[in-house]
Amino acid sequence: MAIFLWLLSVLLLPSVHAWKCIEIVPDSGNKFGYPVELGKEFTATCILHHKDLKAENIHWTYGLKSVRLSKEYYRRINESAGSITVNVTEDMMGFFKCVIPSENTIYTNCSSNTYGILLDKGYPPEKPTDVKCQAVQDGAKISSNVTCHWNPGTRDPIMHTKYTLYMEYSGKVYNRSATKSHATMALEIFPHHLDLKIWVEVENRLGKVTSDPLMQESENLIKTDPPSKVKVTSEDVFPMSLLIQWTESIHQTYVVLKYNIRYCEKGSHTWTEIKVPRLPPRVIKVPQEDTKGYMDSFRLQALKPYTKYVVQVRCKSNKDLGYWSDWSRNATASTPEDRPYTKPVLWMNARLDDAQRTVQLLLKKPVVANGKILHYEISVVEDGKSTKSSLPFDDKEPFQRFNFTLQRQCVVAYVNVTAKNSAGESPPANLAVLLKGQELPAVDSPFAFAQDDFLWVEWSAPKEDGLVEYVLEWVSLVDGEWNWQKEPRNATKAYLKGNLQSFVPYNVTVVPIYHRGWRSSTKVIHLTLPGNLNTITAYLKEGPPEVVPEPSLVKTWKNSAQLVWPEIPLEKQRGFITNYTIVYEGAGKRVLETVVPLDVHSFTLKDLTKETSYSVYLVASTAAGSTRSTTFTMTTQKYDPGEIEMIVVSVCFGFLFLTILFIRLCFKNKETLKKKFWPQVPDPYNSTVATWSPDLSARTGTPKEAALGDLSVVEVDVFDQKSLCDEDKTSLPALKKDKYLSEEHSSGIGGSSCMSSPRQSVSDSDEADSGQTTASTVQYSSVVGYKGQTPAGAVSSAAASSSSSSSSSSPATSATAASAHTFARSESTQPLLDCEEQQEGSANHHHPPGRGSLFRRHRGFGDADSSGGSSSSSGVGGSPMHRQHPSEQDELDSSSLEFCPAEEASLEQPADQPADARLARPPYMPQQSGYRPQ
Amino acid sequence: MRGHGSSTPATGSPSLDRNLCVSLLVSLLVCVCVSSVVGVPLAPSSCSSLKKSLKSARVLHWETGQLLETYKANQGEGVEFICQAQSEGVPEATVFGQDWTERLSGLHVRLHEFTPHLRHVAEQQADLQPPSSKLLRDLDQVQLRVPHLASNLHGLLQLLLPNSVLEPPGPTGQPPLPPLNSFQQKAYGCSVLTRFHTFLSNSQKELKALRGVACKRRMDPPSYTTGQHRH
């Protein structure tokens, strides 16, 4: 290497110096370049060593690209020298050059027209601060290696900087090259109990600086190992204490230590730290092999019995110099058992009625059990009579049950329970059975809420004296899991201490427990009594429903549809359902929503468009969100049910109405239509000429009369002195006149014989009369008789009817009727009705067949006459009955129509009729009644 | 300061007197330099200095005791017999002087007298023990610890007797000349270590006895007489 440098200098230096016409002061000096501080001004002078070179021709550049510096920084010193002053920046890379234009050096022997120097840019070192040193324990002694750290400052010096750590003691100074922020000084031996001076020196080409010296006793540097052989021992006689023993990590000749102990229950990470005073009264200091140090001990007190503890120890110089050691490794031990400090926790489920008085006692071990509970001692006291039982403890269940039945109808009943472990017995707990009539108030307005992953219950305390505590009982409504806990009397809220599940509904019951004194015969017993229950339902955490059933379509109409959906199963509700929302969207229509209350599970969508397909789904919401069902499609109807039928019926009814109207019109105008379409043509075949025979009686019952059949026989009053001819001659006009006076008209065809009116006959005869008066027309006769009917009955009937009606008209009419002619009629006749036959029969019964109609007529009249003035009065003035309105008369006629055979017979039956005559009637009565339905 | 640091005291001096003088001068200079450190308060009290001296003596006594055990353990059978043998030239373990000033100075001088003997024992054992043996390490450690105690005692002397001139120790500190046979070496080593251990024990007692003086006179500089030191 040296040879190479020599050769290089031999080869290069002559060439440089022989023709070096330009030089910069200061020169680089070495490979690092000339040190310059960033941000500060730097002045370089360019010296020209040739007379032909002029300072005014100098220009300065820097960097690989030879960036030319502005001439404003130039300064001409003399003819052969010029300088430049610039602010040093980081971008000044490469050579900083002084350049003479080449044309000025053409005629010189200068090897180069340029000279450059390198700049070593950076900052001077910053003063180190916060120097800290540490010497850790190595084996049984403190290590001779001392490690120091310091803060080198925030500014990077950029250029090469040297850090040196110095340490001075006993008149000797030791140093050690360091990194930027730390170093380890390797001493011959750790200087115990000596004053040390420690400092850091930082140096680079721009300067040197030292930290403030750290003057301290060497013990300030010591960090010992943690105490070794930490042992924790329990003593049965001290259930709340643990003895801790350890061995000092370093001999007290070097460092006198003090200790800290920390402990916690196993599984917990909450440490309790205590300072162990030096040589406290209870510390036992035991020499442990004189040369190997001492074992210290300390007794932890006020611990929980039957609890496993973890203990750690650390140490430090008792002069509070140096550093705390690390914590020792865990040492674990359990405190011994002690008797339970608290009562067992009681609650009960009582089923009390007159027949069954069973109580289920619920037991939890004491909160401070201080050991493993072995069994419970249970005393059931009824009115001072005690029954004792023992229940082995079972730690597999969160609580145990004990059932007992009250044996008598006691006034007061309670249980006393103690829990026992190997060290002793707990204080007794009692709870009274709530009997009838002992109800105590419940808490007010319980309210549940979730916070920090716990379900909290808040309530208002009841305004009742003697409140002791509360019982919180909760049960899962999904799987029935339940548990309970107690809270102190001053609590108004508590969280449920159990493994409650999210999205599961719980029934939470708050029960206040009261204190009551019961005075027995010898003493006052203080008991606790439960108050009334107050239950609410709550969720630890709500979520949207797990599933929502798809609504089913019950029925659709033209503009509506009825949906129904089942209730969401409780375990899938995952929260309180707030409402349901039915979302439906018709094809090409906007989405519609309808919100329905949570208790509604059927709904009819209205205002739908007919014959349209709708997509429908159901959304169930809770406070935590919503879930939608699957979508189903429905289509509305084109017509509502019954709409078509309504139209058809309406049309039919319209048609029927029109038909009826048409028929009615046709009937109304039947004569016109008849005349128009079926003009009347006389039937010569059925035309007869009335027989006017004075010896009508002689021909009564003749075959000829029977042969007439359809012909009626006109009554002829045989007692009239005038001949029929004559009467006929005189009566015709009267008949004619009477015909025109009569406004009544009855159907001549098919009419009942009972209703047959002489006037009708007269009317008909009027036609006949009209026929008689017209030579070209056929004369008609009136139909007054019927097929198979004897003229006498007919005449009798007709005569009775005529006498009642026509007599009121006028006497002339009556006379005319009395002298009525017999006509034959050409029109066809209807068959005789049975009742008419009946009437006829009845009439025949009254009037023996051997007698002619004329006689019957006469007799009738005779009867009338026999009644004296009554008959005439009825004929002239008329009885009230005869003065009735025609319609009433019709009704009477009708009624007589219905019961005519018997009534007429009875009416016409004289009161003094002989008994044999009345007895002769019965053979016909069954027949009459048999025909009534007609 | 670095110049002072480069001249290590009390090691390798040809004579005990010269070493002592040099070490005292150096200690004085160091004290001057330390006290001149800018911004660093340095106000060692005689009481604290006494305590440090006492602690240093205790450490050295402890380590010497360890060393002696190790030494005996490494000498094989009959070590008790060996250690009972008397060796000449070994400094006495007692502290001389009429009053506390003489005794304190004598303690300082006697400590320096042991230094070459300890080194000689180490050299002898270096020939008998493997390099990595605990005995050699402990011997080195004790040798290295002696200047620490000397430094503390010197500081205490400077505080209690600032105008006294500490003369170098006399020729009594001269170690015996070789050659010695193996038994003599063992007996010599045991005698040196035993006496040194006893001396340190006595030193602790002397220092403890000075508590009343050093800690009481903190505010009242002690009156002392010069030129009465025994050599």
Side-chain angles (χ1 to χ4, degrees):
Chain A
M1 185 66 179
I3 295 171
F4 174 75
L5 291 174
W6 180 79
L7 285 174
L8 187 68
S9 62
V10 167
L11 292 172
L12 294 177
L13 287 178
S15 64
V16 170
H17 292 288
W19 296 284
K20 190 169 77 172
C21 300
I22 306 171
E23 187 181 13
I24 295 178
V25 176
D27 205 344
S28 299
N30 58 30
K31 62 178 181 180
F32 297 113
Y34 184 77
V36 291
E37 185 175 348
L38 284 164
K40 296 288 179 66
E41 286 188 340
F42 166 65
T43 298
T45 302
C46 185
I47 301 171
L48 306 176
H49 296 294
H50 197 283
K51 60 184 177 56
D52 294 336
L53 303 180
K54 303 298 181 186
E56 54 266 26
N57 296 327
I58 293 173
H59 66 262
W60 297 84
T61 65
Y62 72 90
L64 298 174
K65 295 182 180 178
S66 297
V67 178
R68 192 163 182 170
L69 291 163
S70 175
K71 286 203 170 185
E72 61 182 304
Y73 305 121
Y74 297 179
R75 191 171 71 87
R76 181 179 177 275
I77 297 173
N78 53 37
E79 286 288 327
S80 60
S83 67
I84 186 170
T85 302
V86 293
N87 198 11
V88 179
T89 58
E90 286 190 43
D91 62 348
M92 289 182 174
M93 308 298 286
F95 282 93
F96 190 81
K97 289 180 284 188
C98 170
V99 180
I100 294 290
S102 57
E103 58 267 25
N104 297 332
T105 60
I106 294 175
Y107 303 106
T108 66
N109 59 348
C110 297
S111 61
S112 173
N113 63 334
T114 302
Y115 192 84
I117 62 171
L118 287 172
L119 298 181
D120 186 10
K121 301 178 293 295
Y123 294 103
E126 284 189 303
K127 183 179 177 180
T129 58
D130 197 18
V131 179
K132 291 181 179 175
C133 297
Q134 188 180 78
V136 298
Q137 185 175 344
D138 180 18
K141 298 172 184 175
I142 299 300
S143 168
S144 59
N145 294 329
V146 179
T147 301
C148 297
H149 292 80
W150 57 87
N151 180 7
T154 56
R155 189 178 64 185
D156 183 4
I158 298 177
M159 64 172 52
H160 174 71
T161 303
K162 181 183 178 184
Y163 295 83
T164 306
L165 172 67
Y166 288 89
M167 188 176 294
E168 180 183 339
Y169 61 90
S170 296
K172 293 176 72 174
V173 177
Y174 303 87
N175 62 71
R176 177 82 177 181
S177 180
T179 63
K180 189 176 180 180
S181 61
H182 74 277
T184 298
M185 180 78 77
L187 303 173
E188 294 168 327
I189 189 172
F190 185 78
H192 282 287
H193 308 300
L194 286 176
D195 288 327
L196 304 179
K197 179 185 175 185
I198 302 169
W199 70 96
V200 178
E201 185 180 274
V202 189
E203 182 178 12
N204 65 15
R205 298 179 70 195
L206 292 175
K208 182 171 76 173
V209 65
T210 58
S211 68
D212 292 335
L214 178 67
M215 306 288 294
Q216 56 185 194
E217 195 176 336
S218 58
E219 267 53 43
N220 279 296
L221 277 55
I222 291 175
K223 180 183 179 182
T224 65
D225 287 342
S228 58
K229 300 177 183 176
V230 178
K231 190 170 75 173
V232 186
T233 310
S234 65
E235 298 162 286
D236 289 344
V237 292
F238 301 116
M240 297 174 67
S241 176
L242 286 174
L243 179 64
I244 305 168
Q245 293 173 298
W246 66 90
T247 302
E248 58 188 8
S249 55
I250 193 168
H251 195 272
Q252 58 181 350
T253 302
Y254 297 112
V255 186
V256 180
L257 296 171
K258 64 177 182 180
Y259 299 94
N260 274 5
I261 296 174
R262 67 176 184 179
Y263 64 95
C264 68
E265 293 181 34
K266 190 172 177 64
S268 167
H269 297 287
T270 306
W271 294 94
T272 302
E273 188 170 325
I274 56 174
K275 295 177 181 177
V276 179
R278 186 64 187 167
L279 295 175
R282 57 176 172 273
V283 168
I284 306 165
K285 194 161 185 178
V286 182
Q288 189 188 42
E289 297 180 25
D290 273 346
T291 58
K292 293 188 177 177
Y294 289 87
M295 173 173 279
D296 281 351
S297 65
F298 186 79
R299 189 180 297 281
L300 292 175
Q301 294 182 335
L303 302 176
K304 297 178 183 176
Y306 198 61
T307 305
K308 185 172 281 189
Y309 285 94
V310 178
V311 180
Q312 293 180 340
V313 187
R314 67 176 180 176
C315 56
K316 185 184 181 183
S317 162
N318 71 332
K319 301 287 183 175
D320 208 21
L321 303 175
Y323 302 88
W324 279 108
S325 71
D326 296 330
W327 287 103
S328 65
R329 287 185 292 183
N330 288 347
T332 306
S334 293
T335 50
E337 285 195 27
D338 198 3
R339 65 172 182 81
Y341 291 165
T342 57
K343 307 172 182 177
V345 186
L346 303 184
W347 185 228
M348 63 172 61
N349 279 329
R351 303 276 184 273
L352 299 178
D353 51 43
D354 293 336
Q356 189 73 16
R357 296 164 65 81
T358 302
V359 178
Q360 185 181 52
L361 186 66
L362 311 173
L363 302 106
K364 283 185 181 178
K365 68 177 184 179
V367 176
V368 187
N370 290 341
K372 185 178 180 181
I373 299 297
L374 301 176
H375 62 272
Y376 295 104
E377 293 287 342
I378 302 170
S379 297
V380 180
V381 184
E382 297 179 65
D383 286 344
K385 305 292 182 184
S386 176
T387 307
K388 292 189 176 181
S389 304
S390 181
L391 178 68
F393 178 73
D394 181 8
D395 59 353
K396 294 174 184 173
E397 296 292 330
F399 55 90
Q400 287 181 257
R401 298 169 173 84
F402 178 77
N403 295 325
F404 63 92
T405 303
L406 298 179
Q407 300 298 323
R408 60 181 75 188
Q409 296 294 329
C410 52
V411 176
V412 62
Y414 64 94
V415 290
N416 255 331
V417 180
T418 58
K420 285 188 174 180
N421 64 10
S422 61
E425 190 176 30
S426 74
N430 69 58
L431 185 63
V433 181
L434 189 64
L435 301 177
K436 284 184 178 178
Q438 294 178 334
E439 291 189 354
L440 292 167
V443 298
D444 294 330
S445 56
F447 169 72
F449 61 96
Q451 186 178 21
D452 300 333
D453 295 331
F454 290 107
L455 183 58
W456 290 77
V457 184
E458 191 170 356
W459 62 88
S460 299
K463 296 179 177 60
E464 180 75 13
D465 291 336
L467 187 64
V468 176
E469 58 190 355
Y470 297 95
V471 170
L472 301 185
E473 184 179 311
W474 71 95
V475 56
S476 167
L477 299 182
V478 173
D479 56 12
E481 182 185 357
W482 70 288
N483 206 332
W484 52 280
Q485 67 190 53
K486 287 197 172 183
E487 296 296 330
R489 57 181 295 182
N490 56 354
T492 55
K493 68 175 182 180
Y495 69 90
L496 303 182
K497 301 177 184 71
N499 186 23
L500 274 65
Q501 305 292 319
S502 299
F503 316 126
V504 172
Y506 288 93
N507 265 352
V508 183
T509 303
V510 185
V511 189
I513 307 295
Y514 297 93
H515 170 265
R516 290 290 182 267
W518 178 71
R519 185 181 297 276
S520 69
S521 57
T522 56
K523 59 181 179 178
V524 176
I525 302 173
H526 297 278
L527 301 175
T528 55
L529 269 171
N532 283 344
L533 318 181
N534 204 338
T535 301
I536 54 174
T537 304
Y539 282 87
L540 172 63
K541 185 180 179 182
E542 288 192 64
E546 186 179 341
V547 293
V548 176
E550 181 182 299
S552 55
L553 186 64
V554 176
K555 194 172 184 181
T556 56
W557 291 274
K558 186 169 69 178
N559 300 113
S560 58
Q562 186 183 7
L563 305 175
V564 65
W565 59 93
E567 188 175 4
I568 302 174
L570 192 62
E571 66 274 13
K572 294 185 177 179
Q573 289 185 2
R574 295 159 60 92
F576 294 111
I577 301 294
T578 54
N579 57 53
Y580 293 102
T581 304
I582 303 170
V583 183
Y584 55 103
E585 178 183 14
K589 301 184 185 302
R590 64 189 178 92
V591 178
L592 298 172
E593 294 182 359
T594 302
V595 179
V596 297
L598 60 107
D599 54 346
V600 172
H601 295 94
S602 174
F603 190 77
T604 300
L605 299 174
K606 296 179 179 176
D607 298 330
L608 303 178
T609 305
K610 69 173 184 177
E611 208 175 4
T612 303
S613 177
Y614 282 89
S615 297
V616 184
Y617 61 86
L618 183 68
V619 178
S621 302
T622 66
S626 301
T627 303
R628 53 170 289 181
S629 69
T630 55
T631 304
F632 78 98
T633 304
M634 67 176 188
T635 305
T636 51
Q637 302 292 326
K638 189 173 183 179
Y639 298 104
D640 278 338
E643 190 175 0
I644 296 174
E645 290 82 349
M646 183 65 73
I647 293 171
V648 171
V649 168
S650 300
V651 170
C652 290
F653 269 103
F655 181 75
L656 184 63
F657 176 75
L658 290 175
T659 305
I660 292 171
L661 189 64
F662 177 74
I663 293 170
R664 181 177 174 84
L665 286 173
C666 290
F667 270 99
K668 199 168 184 180
N669 302 315
K670 65 179 182 181
E671 292 302 329
T672 305
L673 293 171
K674 184 177 178 182
K675 286 179 181 177
K676 187 173 182 179
F677 294 105
W678 299 283
Q680 286 186 340
V681 179
D683 186 1
Y685 179 76
N686 289 324
S687 296
T688 57
V689 179
T691 302
W692 301 94
S693 175
D695 53 349
L696 183 60
S697 59
R699 290 185 288 171
T700 299
T702 62
K704 183 181 179 182
E705 188 179 350
L708 279 174
D710 293 338
L711 289 181
S712 298
V713 178
V714 178
E715 294 182 2
V716 178
D717 191 348
V718 294
F719 300 102
D720 199 340
Q721 298 299 321
K722 296 176 184 178
S723 69
L724 284 173
C725 293
D726 293 338
E727 286 182 3
D728 189 41
K729 289 176 184 176
T730 57
S731 64
L732 282 174
L735 283 171
K736 197 172 186 181
K737 183 179 178 181
D738 187 40
K739 183 259 177 182
Y740 291 118
L741 286 173
S742 175
E743 296 177 358
E744 292 183 357
H745 179 81
S746 64
S747 111
I749 300 173
S752 169
S753 61
C754 296
M755 298 177 65
S756 297
S757 169
R759 286 174 294 180
Q760 184 180 8
S761 302
V762 169
S763 174
D764 291 344
S765 64
D766 181 48
E767 291 175 5
D769 182 49
S770 171
Q772 277 187 330
T773 55
T774 304
S776 63
T777 59
V778 177
Q779 194 173 22
Y780 287 88
S781 64
S782 177
V783 177
V784 295
Y786 293 90
K787 181 179 179 180
Q789 183 180 10
T790 56
V795 171
S796 166
S797 175
S801 179
S802 175
S803 62
S804 63
S805 59
S806 61
S807 59
S808 61
S809 302
S810 69
T813 306
S814 174
T816 306
S819 60
H821 301 281
T822 298
F823 296 93
R825 182 174 169 177
S826 64
E827 293 176 358
S828 61
T829 60
Q830 284 189 334
L832 286 174
L833 297 174
D834 292 340
C835 66
E836 290 167 343
E837 293 174 353
Q838 177 66 27
Q839 276 187 318
E840 186 178 359
S842 176
N844 291 336
H845 172 71
H846 291 294
H847 306 285
R851 299 189 61 179
S853 62
L854 289 176
F855 287 103
R856 284 185 280 115
R857 171 73 177 184
H858 172 71
R859 185 174 179 181
F861 278 100
D863 292 340
D865 290 340
S866 64
S867 60
S870 64
S871 176
S872 62
S873 65
S874 67
V876 177
S879 67
M881 183 177 173
H882 289 129
R883 288 197 299 271
Q884 285 178 338
H885 189 271
S887 63
E888 292 177 354
Q889 184 61 43
D890 289 342
E891 290 177 5
L892 287 171
D893 291 344
S894 300
S895 62
S896 65
L897 172 65
E898 189 172 358
F899 302 103
C900 56
E903 288 175 359
E904 284 179 355
S906 62
L907 285 173
E908 291 174 5
Q909 194 73 30
D912 53 352
Q913 190 174 359
D916 56 347
R918 288 196 297 271
L919 291 173
R921 200 183 303 166
Y924 298 89
M925 291 306 290
Q927 191 176 2
Q928 285 177 347
S929 61
Y931 285 104
R932 279 191 181 172
Q934 288 185 340
Chain B
M1 286 200 305
R2 277 191 282 176
H4 293 296
S6 61
S7 59
T8 54
T11 52
S13 300
S15 69
L16 188 62
D17 295 340
R18 219 172 71 185
N19 283 338
L20 181 61
C21 290
V22 170
S23 64
L24 289 174
L25 286 173
V26 168
S27 300
L28 282 172
L29 288 172
V30 167
C31 289
V32 171
C33 292
V34 167
S35 62
S36 65
V37 171
V38 179
V40 179
L42 186 65
S45 69
S46 57
C47 189
S48 66
S49 183
L50 176 64
K51 289 180 180 176
K52 288 176 190 170
S53 298
L54 186 57
K55 289 178 183 174
S56 290
R58 190 177 295 150
V59 168
L60 190 55
H61 178 250
W62 162 260
E63 290 181 344
T64 304
Q66 299 274 37
L67 171 62
L68 186 58
E69 287 187 5
T70 307
Y71 182 86
K72 289 178 179 178
N74 280 272
Q75 303 312 310
E77 297 292 330
V79 67
E80 296 298 329
F81 174 73
I82 293 173
C83 286
Q84 286 178 359
Q86 296 292 326
S87 295
E88 295 182 357
V90 178
E92 294 295 326
T94 55
V95 179
F96 56 87
Q98 297 295 323
D99 56 12
W100 66 268
T101 55
E102 288 182 0
R103 302 177 75 83
L104 182 59
S105 299
L107 197 149
H108 184 250
V109 171
R110 184 55 53 82
L111 180 62
H112 280 279
E113 288 175 353
F114 273 103
T115 302
H117 292 277
L118 292 172
R119 186 175 62 252
H120 192 67
V121 172
E123 288 169 355
Q124 290 176 348
Q125 292 299 319
D127 297 334
L128 301 174
Q129 305 292 332
S132 60
S133 72
K134 185 175 183 297
L135 176 59
L136 294 181
R137 287 205 313 270
D138 287 352
L139 276 168
D140 286 345
Q141 182 175 280
V142 167
Q143 290 184 86
L144 291 169
R145 192 73 72 192
V146 170
H148 297 173
L149 175 59
S151 175
N152 280 330
L153 287 175
H154 188 267
L156 179 63
L157 281 169
Q158 291 295 312
L159 287 170
L160 296 177
L161 304 168
N163 296 330
S164 66
V165 177
L166 299 177
E167 296 179 5
T172 51
Q174 187 70 29
L177 295 175
L180 296 174
N181 59 34
S182 178
F183 177 79
Q184 288 172 326
Q185 287 182 0
K186 289 182 180 181
Y188 171 73
C190 188
S191 179
V192 169
L193 294 179
T194 304
R195 288 193 183 184
F196 187 58
H197 187 247
T198 307
F199 165 72
L200 291 172
S201 178
N202 293 334
S203 298
Q204 290 183 68
K205 292 175 184 172
E206 293 293 332
L207 290 171
K208 284 179 183 176
L210 279 176
R211 277 179 181 166
V213 176
C215 295
K216 187 178 176 182
R217 289 170 178 259
R218 187 185 308 168
M219 302 303 294
D220 183 17
S223 61
Y224 58 92
T225 57
T226 58
Q228 294 184 359
H229 301 295
R230 283 183 65 185
H231 296 282

